[in-house]
Amino acid sequence: MGQFKVLDRDISEGQPGDNRTARYYDMLTWGEISDPPKVSIRERDKTRRCSFSIRWKKHTFVNCVVIEKDSPGAYLAAQELRKGDTVLLAGRLREYTYTPTKGKRAGEQIQGQDAKVSVIIPQRLIGKLMETMSEGEPEDETEGLYIDEETGELEW
């Protein structure tokens, strides 16, 4: 399970009490990739984008999009994500409400969230980085060192 944090509700655009408008926040969230990323090109302006969703709490998802021209590094990272990966994301969140007309939740007001992501840090990347860093470490100089119980002195 992931966790979600709104960094500053005071900069929200829209009226927090008005369900007809969307509210925007700067966000930091971490969770599990629930759908594999999909790369697409918007026809209108030929913008390349990568979209995916994350689960940050049981039954709570955020649909995410990374636009290549806005965040090229995040776009490359997003393409390499796999379902089940744990990630840390930063960007701009939009909260909105809608009422579906079809399906089992027809007529019920639902709150949705989507995010334009500008930073992606996959946990796999951090694990690999830590593994690589530990390969170059010098040998443990204290290996074989113990304390003599009778004298209380360190011995090799």
Side-chain angles (χ1 to χ4, degrees):
M1 295 299 193
Q3 206 171 28
F4 178 77
K5 170 100 177 170
V6 175
L7 297 179
D8 190 355
R9 285 186 178 262
D10 295 335
I11 63 171
S12 173
E13 300 166 10
Q15 301 299 318
D18 186 357
N19 288 332
R20 295 172 297 155
T21 62
R23 292 172 305 279
Y24 296 86
Y25 307 96
D26 287 332
M27 65 100 183
L28 178 67
T29 186
W30 50 98
E32 186 177 286
I33 300 292
S34 59
D35 292 324
K38 295 178 182 94
V39 176
S40 62
I41 299 175
R42 186 169 27 175
E43 286 189 32
R44 178 175 42 165
D45 58 1
K46 304 295 184 217
T47 303
R48 292 195 294 188
R49 54 190 342 142
C50 187
S51 56
F52 56 93
S53 67
I54 65 162
R55 178 175 59 107
W56 62 272
K57 188 166 78 172
K58 190 173 185 175
H59 305 297
T60 306
F61 298 85
V62 177
N63 296 318
C64 302
V65 66
V66 182
I67 300 172
E68 182 186 32
K69 70 177 182 176
D70 295 341
S71 305
Y75 178 79
L76 290 173
Q79 293 179 65
E80 299 299 321
L81 296 175
R82 294 182 236 149
K83 184 176 180 174
D85 282 351
T86 301
V87 293
L88 171 69
L89 306 173
R92 191 85 168 134
L93 177 76
R94 177 176 71 117
E95 284 185 343
Y96 57 94
T97 56
Y98 65 98
T99 307
T101 56
K102 297 178 182 177
K104 62 182 176 182
R105 296 184 76 180
E108 181 182 336
Q109 196 172 55
I110 298 171
Q111 183 168 346
Q113 297 177 329
D114 55 28
K116 182 178 175 187
V117 177
S118 54
V119 176
I120 299 175
I121 303 174
Q123 184 179 5
R124 264 188 303 131
L125 175 68
I126 301 301
K128 186 65 176 170
L129 180 63
M130 297 302 284
E131 192 177 288
T132 302
M133 289 172 59
S134 69
E135 288 173 1
E137 287 185 13
E139 291 184 31
D140 185 4
E141 295 176 5
T142 62
E143 191 173 325
L145 182 68
Y146 68 94
I147 299 176
D148 186 322
E149 291 182 15
E150 290 180 20
T151 64
E153 293 184 16
L154 295 175
E155 293 186 11
W156 294 99

